[in-house]
Amino acid sequence: SPCYRPVRAEVILCDEQGSLLAACPVDTDVRTWLPESSAVIGCDFPIPAKAGPRCLLGLRLTDTLMHREIRLCNTPPLPSINNPIGEIVS
């Protein structure tokens, strides 16, 4: 089901050990994300110099009222990322 309250969305970059390397806010209203449909989001951030050869990308969604992170039901969580969306390998 869709979200009914505002949610803060960020794309995050973590190293393989799960340490946060960067976070980029995403300008989107998740209340418009509907089941059985796609949403396109984007942000630009430089890869930090301390990033290793493999980094993990995730989508961090935080309820602005309860200040709790939301996990999407169709993505299995990783130890450091509730909503993994990909990886960067150099």
Side-chain angles (χ1 to χ4, degrees), residues 35-52:
E36 307 286 328
S37 65
S38 298
V40 177
I41 60 171
C43 67
D44 294 317
F45 60 87
I47 305 298
K50 62 183 174 182

Side-chain angles (χ1 to χ4, degrees), residues 9 13-14 17 20 30 50 54-55 74 81:
L13 182 72
C14 294
Q17 289 73 39
L20 182 67
V30 300
K50 62 183 174 182
R54 180 174 179 257
C55 295
N74 61 348
I81 302 175

Side-chain angles (χ1 to χ4, degrees), residues 61-74:
L61 302 171
T62 307
D63 181 313
T64 58
L65 180 64
M66 303 293 286
H67 304 288
R68 292 186 177 165
E69 195 168 337
I70 298 167
R71 189 175 79 75
L72 300 174
C73 66
N74 61 348

